[in-house]
Amino acid sequence: MSKRSNHAIVFGASGLIGWALVDQLLNSYPTADSFSKITAVTNRPLNFSKSYWPEPDSNRPQLQLVSGINLRHGDGATLADSLKQEVEDIGSITHLYYLVFTAIEDDIEEAAVNRRMFQNVIDALGLVSPHLQFVVFPGGTRGYGIYAAGGSFSPPLNEDMVNNLPLDYAKTVVYPMYRAMLDKASQEKKWTWCEVCPDAIIGFTPNGSQFSLALHWAQYLSLYAYNHAIGPHTKESQATAVKVPFPGNTAGANSLFSPVSSDTIARFMIYASLHPETCGNGRLFNISDNETPCKYGDLWPRLARWFGLEGMGPAEDLQTGSNPLRVGELPQSLSLPLPGEYIARYRAVFEKCGCKNAASAGVGAGTGN
Ligand SMILES: NC(=O)c1ccc[n+]([C@@H]2O[C@H](COP(=O)([O-])OP(=O)(O)OC[C@H]3O[C@@H](n4cnc5c(N)ncnc54)[C@H](OP(=O)(O)O)[C@@H]3O)[C@@H](O)[C@H]2O)c1
């Protein structure tokens, strides 16, 4: 098959990574002739006019948007039937980008449900897409044990560490199960696969996301600004008078993390999928925007300024006086609720102001799957 006939199918196209992946493909990354067709699959309804993807034109790959595919229902065969009915030219699919994730309170059930959904997709494409070449999915630093208090490994987190996860912890994470499933399913097949591992992902979604840090901070800081009478048209001199303490302790402010923008991870996933000889065979790639990690405490003033606020050090430092920068400039309330509680308390403000999507998503808010 010539490159021009590549056909990408993106499951989870409305999510943080999925949206950026479709956006990059529609913007002809890496080259105008890399893909001719893109099928974007979502569970919740998504109208193209509200997707913020580029409008069709003759240079852009063709896009088909298929909504209403809930991977929790049925098995590979029933999914194959639905895809055959819904997806034009399903037999020509060459690249699978799998970006679906359903958060469930019980970790063991979460791993089982997510594993089954991915298995359904692999089984379905095995039945209807004989030209499949590459499968790529994102893991996450959860796969390095970061959900266990104190973590399982000392940073820097190298790719080979994922194979030594403590057993009790490993069964709460789906990524090792994905790897085992793909290893088995790809045996004696023409396709190969890889995994890309981000820390926090910073990006956009048209209708919310289960875990968007950017959305979480935007919810918190915009509500905080609103409640302190700061708006887009407030004069700068007024705005800097409203202070917002870092919503965590000093250890949190000093902890390191390595965010990656959704565009960067999307581009890397596309690149990897077009280079099976170097990136396939189950390889894992850590990815971040910068080699040097950053600190939350350093980012906080910049995030706050975006919303017309002045970001300060952790409230505990302000109370004990150990923050040399801001003693004597205490905000009105140092006993602020945590951001999640604050958002829950004032969420109705978004509806009142006509920002419906802001009310229904964010960290831990779920997307109703
Ligand atoms: N967000 C982060 O900071 C982060 C960090 C590290 C790793 N990761 C990993 O990256 C992967 C993708 O995360 P993300 O942040 O892009 O997720 P996300 O924004 O929450 O998107 C998840 C996608 O999964 C789809 N989905 C959920 N349940 C579904 C179902 N039953 N059937 C079909 N589709 C379903 C959603 O579709 P609808 O919207 O149509 O329901 C949505 O498009 C996950 O494995 C996650 O753990 C994320």
Side-chain angles (χ1 to χ4, degrees):
M1 286 184 129
S2 76
K3 264 172 91 184
R4 184 63 186 151
S5 60
N6 281 340
H7 178 174
I9 189 162
V10 182
F11 283 87
S14 52
L16 266 185
I17 311 175
W19 181 88
L21 212 134
V22 172
D23 193 55
Q24 288 297 323
L25 291 170
L26 289 177
N27 281 295
S28 298
Y29 181 81
T31 58
D33 67 352
S34 296
F35 287 84
S36 59
K37 285 191 180 160
I38 299 159
T39 301
V41 184
T42 72
N43 173 28
R44 291 177 295 156
L46 177 63
N47 191 320
F48 180 78
S49 64
K50 301 218 166 110
S51 70
Y52 293 89
W53 284 321
E55 292 293 330
D57 79 49
S58 54
N59 297 320
R60 200 199 75 168
Q62 246 180 49
L63 173 70
Q64 192 195 358
L65 177 53
V66 177
S67 289
I69 302 286
N70 186 339
L71 299 177
R72 283 179 83 162
H73 297 159
D75 57 14
T78 52
L79 178 61
D81 286 343
S82 310
L83 294 176
K84 267 197 282 186
Q85 282 171 26
E86 300 284 338
V87 177
E88 287 161 22
D89 214 1
I90 189 149
S92 69
I93 283 169
T94 50
H95 294 74
L96 162 62
Y97 303 91
Y98 185 80
L99 308 149
V100 169
F101 192 80
T102 288
I104 296 173
E105 192 123 334
D106 182 280
D107 289 339
I108 307 280
E109 190 194 343
E110 180 183 85
V113 167
N114 280 287
R115 185 200 169 284
R116 199 167 56 244
M117 290 198 295
F118 199 177
Q119 177 86 61
N120 287 348
V121 170
I122 293 294
D123 290 349
L125 293 195
L127 294 171
V128 292
S129 304
H131 300 295
L132 187 64
Q133 296 173 16
F134 206 94
V135 175
V136 52
F137 75 93
T141 39
R142 185 174 180 179
Y144 287 117
I146 63 157
Y147 278 28
S152 308
F153 306 111
S154 305
L157 301 170
N158 295 316
E159 283 89 343
D160 53 8
M161 291 175 173
V162 291
N163 298 320
N164 301 321
L165 265 189
L167 284 182
D168 266 7
Y169 181 87
K171 64 185 184 199
T172 67
V173 189
V174 73
Y175 309 134
M177 301 175 197
Y178 285 168
R179 281 175 218 133
M181 186 267 287
L182 291 173
D183 264 342
K184 194 165 164 212
S186 61
Q187 271 172 28
E188 291 167 33
K189 296 279 167 35
K190 283 187 257 168
W191 57 270
T192 185
W193 65 276
C194 82
E195 172 181 354
V196 176
C197 180
D199 192 353
I201 299 163
I202 311 302
F204 165 80
T205 56
N207 58 1
S209 160
Q210 294 160 110
F211 195 95
S212 169
L213 209 48
L215 179 57
H216 181 64
W217 292 134
Q219 285 175 319
Y220 177 55
L221 291 170
S222 61
L223 287 172
Y224 192 96
Y226 179 89
N227 288 338
H228 290 80
I230 302 287
H233 306 298
T234 311
K235 289 194 191 111
E236 199 157 320
S237 54
Q238 255 176 296
T240 50
V242 176
K243 302 178 189 346
V244 56
F246 177 80
N249 56 23
T250 310
N254 288 331
S255 67
L256 298 173
F257 78 123
S258 300
V260 59
S261 65
S262 57
D263 283 352
T264 302
I265 187 169
R267 282 177 170 226
F268 183 74
M269 291 176 92
I270 297 166
Y271 175 90
S273 70
L274 294 172
H275 293 84
E277 59 302 330
T278 46
C279 299
N281 208 15
R283 280 193 73 178
L284 167 63
F285 299 92
N286 286 345
I287 185 152
S288 70
D289 281 342
N290 291 300
E291 269 185 63
T292 315
C294 55
K295 286 183 186 174
Y296 255 125
D298 292 343
L299 290 180
W300 187 247
R302 286 161 61 193
L303 289 176
R305 199 174 316 127
W306 187 266
F307 294 90
L309 300 163
E310 186 180 352
M312 305 171 73
E316 67 175 19
D317 284 0
L318 299 171
Q319 277 164 319
T320 59
S322 60
N323 183 338
L325 292 174
R326 298 293 173 209
V327 179
E329 291 184 285
L330 300 184
Q332 282 181 339
S333 166
L334 282 175
S335 55
L336 279 169
L338 291 170
E341 292 160 11
Y342 192 92
I343 295 165
R345 188 179 299 175
Y346 296 109
R347 197 180 285 278
V349 170
F350 289 127
E351 297 267 14
K352 197 174 102 188
C353 297
C355 309
K356 189 167 156 269
N357 286 348
S360 62
V363 173
T367 50
N369 297 301

